[in-house]
Amino acid sequence: MAAPRYHHGDLRAALINRAAEVVAAGGVDSLSLRELARDLGVSHGAPSRHFADKQALLDALALDGFERLGASMSAALPSGDDPAAGDFSVQLRDLAAAYVGFAVQNASLLVLMFAAKTRQASPAELPAALDRAFAAPLRAIQLAQERGEVVAGDVEAVAAGILATMHGYAALVTAGLFHPDESGAELAGVIGQLMNGLRRRD
Amino acid sequence: MAAPRYHHGDLRAALINRAAEVVAAGGVDSLSLRELARDLGVSHGAPSRHFADKQALLDALALDGFERLGASMSAALPSGDDPAAGDFSVQLRDLAAAYVGFAVQNASLLVLMFAAKTRQASPAELPAALDRAFAAPLRAIQLAQERGEVVAGDVEAVAAGILATMHGYAALVTAGLFHPDESGAELAGVIGQLMNGLRRRD
DNA sequence: ACCTGAACACCGTTCAAGT
DNA sequence: ACCTGAACACCGTTCAAGT
């Protein structure tokens, strides 16, 4: 036994990790299964034991991305039952900052994640992953409604505008339409405007 | 001269048209240059006369998409100097409907368009294409500001929130997070909320 | 159970040669 | 000016064989 063969228990995780690095560095198109196997010191046929085909690996990457995005949003919000957690405008600001931050740092992955549905055979776990990722902001919106900080009505309907604004801003920044300065002033303005429309009228 | 060779003047246009069909039908990954050439009855080396490589064809497709999206938005707005064109809320509703309609009918293309910047070498014409595509809504927002229908301030700042909401809603629908019914009621609600935040306070 | 390595079909790109 | 067709390097996938 000379050079260690990479299968020390978890080739699957190693494939995902290395694939995430490659995608982050060079985009989805720069990912080659054979090169991946070479990087990990494994034969080019080995990945097929863990992923039926290349698309399955990309799907796993996208699902992992949703989990990370969801965790990032959850971390930006107060824990669910914190009674002293008012001021939804602050929560929204932090949430949007987390979302845009994730988008900027994982631009290629974000594209992969939100392109999954447009493929001929999207992964069966995708809808559940989407719901899970966005559960925390949905809950925060609902609580803000109950506190009267935000207009009443169907949560999903109110959330649609909030999530659309956040995602759209993030997507348009990574697409190169907006060129915000580092201060985050533009995002703050957008969120302020959004919050302005969300507040209950007396 | 038996079977017609496809080079009757415009193989370039034929390549773009056929490529757009293939992408719309099966996604970007299903596009093969060799298959494209076969479809058009041309040798597999022929496309290289018109596109340096496959990426150049995809770039052309994306740029063409921005032109079509821009045209679709322009068509949804009253012509620039129509003096009787008040009521920005109506314009915004029509604009959003056009945008979401384009997104739903060209889901794969939309992904390709907004992923262009994340590639290692994005096309030099991309920034200009983005600006051109979004020029019409920007102008409409500016006019609405001048009419006093919308809060004053830097146009780009105000536009950021509007464009983000529109694009984000479209992207999240094609991504499968939202499942709006055909009535467009959800979009109408989102636009209403947005408009609510945009109106000047007295 | 997990990996190897040969084999297969297909791909993008290049380039001398044709017209 | 435009296209052909052979050639090259690389790819994803499959599968008998090894351990």
Side-chain angles (χ1 to χ4, degrees):
Chain A
M1 46 176 68
R5 252 62 197 52
Y6 212 98
H7 66 286
H8 49 39
D10 213 350
L11 176 56
R12 197 193 129 93
L15 284 166
I16 291 201
N17 288 338
R18 180 69 188 133
E21 288 177 14
V22 172
V23 168
V28 199
D29 298 336
S30 72
L31 186 72
S32 149
L33 274 189
R34 288 178 101 110
E35 191 179 1
L36 211 57
R38 259 178 262 132
D39 288 352
L40 300 179
V42 112
S43 83
H44 65 257
S48 77
R49 290 291 131 187
H50 301 95
F51 299 99
D53 53 21
K54 188 182 183 180
Q55 192 54 58
L57 173 57
L58 291 178
D59 287 345
L61 227 55
L63 293 173
D64 186 57
F66 277 118
E67 203 145 337
R68 286 164 49 199
L69 174 60
S72 168
M73 286 196 280
S74 290
L77 293 169
S79 63
D81 47 1
D82 186 344
D87 208 338
F88 182 69
S89 70
V90 170
Q91 292 177 24
L92 193 56
R93 193 235 294 140
D94 294 345
L95 189 67
Y99 200 98
V100 174
F102 181 91
V104 169
Q105 294 206 321
N106 303 275
S108 293
L109 178 62
L110 198 84
V111 168
L112 181 66
M113 288 160 58
F114 287 92
K117 183 72 183 308
T118 71
R119 284 190 279 269
Q120 49 276 66
S122 66
E125 311 94 316
L126 182 63
L130 274 163
D131 286 346
R132 231 178 302 122
F134 288 98
L138 228 69
R139 181 85 186 116
I141 293 166
Q142 194 171 28
L143 291 173
Q145 285 183 305
E146 290 170 6
R147 273 185 261 115
E149 288 191 75
V150 159
V151 283
D154 183 32
V155 202
E156 308 248 356
V158 177
I162 297 174
L163 300 181
T165 306
M166 257 188 355
H167 177 78
Y169 186 80
L172 291 179
V173 167
T174 62
L177 182 63
F178 302 150
H179 298 92
D181 58 23
E182 300 170 23
S183 70
E186 188 177 67
L187 177 56
V190 168
I191 295 300
Q193 204 107 261
L194 173 62
M195 198 58 217
N196 195 20
L198 286 171
R199 256 184 268 274
R200 286 202 313 181
R201 295 287 119 72
D202 302 320
Chain B
M1 46 176 73
R5 257 50 199 61
Y6 213 98
H7 66 287
H8 50 40
D10 215 348
L11 176 57
R12 197 195 129 93
L15 284 166
I16 291 203
N17 288 339
R18 181 68 188 134
E21 287 177 15
V22 172
V23 168
V28 197
D29 297 336
S30 71
L31 186 72
S32 148
L33 274 187
R34 288 176 100 110
E35 192 179 1
L36 211 59
R38 258 179 262 131
D39 288 352
L40 300 180
V42 111
S43 82
H44 66 257
S48 76
R49 290 292 130 186
H50 301 94
F51 299 99
D53 53 23
K54 188 181 184 182
Q55 191 53 58
L57 173 58
L58 292 178
D59 287 345
L61 226 55
L63 293 173
D64 187 56
F66 277 117
E67 203 145 337
R68 286 164 49 201
L69 174 59
S72 169
M73 286 196 279
S74 289
L77 292 170
S79 60
D81 47 0
D82 187 344
D87 209 338
F88 182 69
S89 71
V90 171
Q91 292 178 25
L92 192 56
R93 193 236 293 137
D94 294 345
L95 189 67
Y99 200 99
V100 175
F102 180 91
V104 169
Q105 294 206 322
N106 303 275
S108 293
L109 178 61
L110 199 83
V111 168
L112 181 66
M113 288 160 58
F114 286 93
K117 183 68 183 310
T118 71
R119 284 190 280 268
Q120 47 278 67
S122 67
E125 310 94 316
L126 181 63
L130 275 163
D131 286 346
R132 231 179 302 122
F134 287 98
L138 228 69
R139 181 87 186 117
I141 293 165
Q142 194 171 26
L143 291 173
Q145 285 183 306
E146 289 170 6
R147 273 184 262 114
E149 287 191 75
V150 159
V151 284
D154 184 32
V155 203
E156 308 249 356
V158 177
I162 297 174
L163 300 181
T165 305
M166 258 187 359
H167 177 77
Y169 185 80
L172 291 178
V173 166
T174 62
L177 183 63
F178 302 150
H179 299 94
D181 59 21
E182 300 171 23
S183 70
E186 188 177 67
L187 178 56
V190 168
I191 295 300
Q193 204 106 262
L194 173 61
M195 200 57 217
N196 196 18
L198 285 172
R199 255 184 270 274
R200 285 204 312 183
R201 298 286 118 73
D202 303 321

